[in-house]
């Protein structure tokens, strides 16, 4: 919902107005969501521990609010996948220019999300494996909230 509702509203506006700026807005929103997902999934595979966005203190892999080089590259891949997927609908647009805008928006959105993750998002700790997570359960047990707001 958080990732999809605003882009969905924007793409409906584009559909009725035909103004490309709205389609770009939609792609940027989708790009940020994809960048964030890819960064999390790929960044988790990193051998090196990621740093927390706010302090660059090393934290366990997969932590919310953490960034790593591999995760950053993942976010570029995620954003670019949106450009590629949307290319059949990009009429009279400069592909390179559009790629640049949408990929930049994805990376900025993803970093903004990591910042939010490092500051205001809830984090939970698993008492069994001591991993920090956004999930409410880990190792088949309930995690305990360690920071941030509930939600
Ligand atoms: Zn666990």
């Amino acid at each position: 919902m958080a990732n999809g509702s605003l882009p969905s509203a924007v793409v409906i506006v584009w559909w009725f107005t035909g103004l490309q700026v709205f389609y770009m807005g939609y792609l940027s929103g989708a790009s940020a969501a994809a960048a964030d997902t890819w960064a999390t999934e790929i960044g988790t595979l990193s051998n090196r521990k990621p740093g927390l966005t706010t302090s660059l203190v090393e934290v366990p892999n997969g932590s919310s609010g953490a960034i790593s080089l591999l995760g950053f590259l993942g976010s570029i891949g995620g954003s670019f996948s949106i450009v590629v997927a949307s290319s059949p609908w990009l009429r009279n647009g400069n592909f390179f220019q559009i790629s640049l805008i949408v990929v930049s928006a994805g990376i900025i959105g993803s970093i903004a999300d990591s910042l939010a993750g490092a500051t205001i998002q809830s984090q939970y700790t698993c008492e069994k494996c001591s991993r920090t997570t956004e999930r409410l359960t880990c190792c088949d047990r309930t995690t305990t909230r360690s920071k941030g707001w509930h939600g």
Side-chain angles (χ1 to χ4, degrees), residues 35-125:
D36 193 54
T37 306
W38 284 44
T40 305
E41 295 302 322
I42 294 173
T44 303
L45 303 174
S46 180
N47 292 324
R48 295 181 53 190
K49 293 203 180 306
L52 209 56
T53 328
T54 43
S55 56
L56 292 177
V57 168
E58 286 193 349
V59 288
N61 284 356
S63 298
S64 180
I67 51 171
S68 63
L69 180 62
L70 201 62
F72 181 70
L73 294 176
S75 70
I76 295 173
S79 297
F80 199 70
S81 77
I82 297 296
V83 177
V84 172
S86 64
S87 58
W89 292 275
L90 293 173
R91 285 161 294 190
N92 59 50
N94 179 326
F95 184 76
F96 179 73
Q97 217 170 20
I98 290 167
S99 303
L100 210 64
I101 295 169
V102 173
V103 171
S104 307
I107 292 164
I108 292 166
S110 175
I111 290 173
D113 193 81
S114 288
L115 275 172
T119 50
I120 57 171
Q121 239 171 46
S122 286
Q123 279 182 10
Y124 301 86
T125 309

Side-chain angles (χ1 to χ4, degrees), residues 40 44 49-50 52 57-66 117-119 121-139 142-148:
T40 305
T44 303
K49 293 203 180 306
L52 209 56
V57 168
E58 286 193 349
V59 288
N61 284 356
S63 298
S64 180
T119 50
Q121 239 171 46
S122 286
Q123 279 182 10
Y124 301 86
T125 309
C126 173
E127 281 167 9
K128 195 172 177 191
C129 68
S130 31
R131 180 188 284 257
T132 307
T133 176
E134 286 174 52
R135 297 187 183 140
L136 294 169
T137 56
C138 180
C139 303
T142 312
T143 52
T144 48
R145 181 143 49 106
S146 49
K147 69 177 270 202

